[in-house]
Amino acid sequence: MPQQEPKRVLAVVSDLFFSVKLADAAKRAGLALEFVKESKEVLAKAQQRPTLIIFDLNFEAAQPLKVIAKLKGDSETKGISLIGYLSHVQGELKMQAQEAGCNMVLARSQFSQNMPQIFRRHSA
């Protein structure tokens, strides 16, 4: 029986320390994690249908709200799960991300705490 390739996850994050934590959790869940820094690259790689895209909603250079809206507006990519994280005090940004189409928006601490379960759910 041929070995199945691991499901892919894209991470649009700029924090190097958090990147290590993401990579470790993805590896434990059996997911292939790829880091992306530019909005055009996110949109191009989304065409390959990753199982999940994670956005640091404060990574302004990657234009997360615009990218989320484009992904959810495209019939090819609208089914991809999108999770965004931000500071717990950013209520307005949370609403904007949800309006743009982000499936789940969590405080960074909550996302960090639930990362193993989130990754396991997306690896099944």
Side-chain angles (χ1 to χ4, degrees), residues 39-79:
S39 56
K40 286 181 184 175
E41 193 179 4
V42 176
L43 294 169
K45 290 188 181 287
Q47 296 300 317
Q48 299 164 4
R49 300 242 178 61
T51 188
L52 171 66
I53 302 177
I54 299 164
F55 289 92
D56 174 350
L57 296 172
N58 288 300
F59 185 15
E60 293 176 18
Q63 302 174 311
L65 296 178
K66 283 185 180 178
V67 174
I68 290 166
K70 283 184 181 179
L71 290 170
K72 288 301 179 178
D74 183 337
S75 62
E76 295 286 314
T77 58
K78 70 180 179 184

Side-chain angles (χ1 to χ4, degrees), residues 107-123:
R108 181 179 166 137
S109 59
Q110 191 180 18
F111 174 70
S112 186
Q113 184 178 357
N114 293 307
M115 198 183 304
Q117 297 92 314
I118 291 168
F119 281 162
R120 271 198 304 273
R121 188 175 338 128
H122 286 88
S123 69

Side-chain angles (χ1 to χ4, degrees), residues 7-116:
K7 291 186 178 181
R8 292 180 42 255
V9 174
L10 297 180
V12 187
V13 300
S14 60
D15 182 327
L16 195 57
F17 291 111
F18 202 63
S19 297
V20 172
K21 193 171 190 172
L22 283 166
D24 184 49
K27 185 177 180 181
R28 287 177 191 219
L31 294 167
L33 181 66
E34 184 175 353
F35 293 97
V36 188
K37 300 277 186 204
E38 296 177 8
S39 56
K40 286 181 184 175
E41 193 179 4
V42 176
L43 294 169
K45 290 188 181 287
Q47 296 300 317
Q48 299 164 4
R49 300 242 178 61
T51 188
L52 171 66
I53 302 177
I54 299 164
F55 289 92
D56 174 350
L57 296 172
N58 288 300
F59 185 15
E60 293 176 18
Q63 302 174 311
L65 296 178
K66 283 185 180 178
V67 174
I68 290 166
K70 283 184 181 179
L71 290 170
K72 288 301 179 178
D74 183 337
S75 62
E76 295 286 314
T77 58
K78 70 180 179 184
I80 299 169
S81 264
L82 307 179
I83 296 179
Y85 65 86
L86 40 62
S87 169
H88 71 281
V89 296
Q90 294 180 293
E92 187 172 326
L93 181 57
K94 180 178 181 173
M95 283 185 5
Q96 291 171 340
Q98 289 169 328
E99 288 169 6
C102 201
N103 299 93
M104 185 185 299
V105 181
L106 300 168
R108 181 179 166 137
S109 59
Q110 191 180 18
F111 174 70
S112 186
Q113 184 178 357
N114 293 307
M115 198 183 304

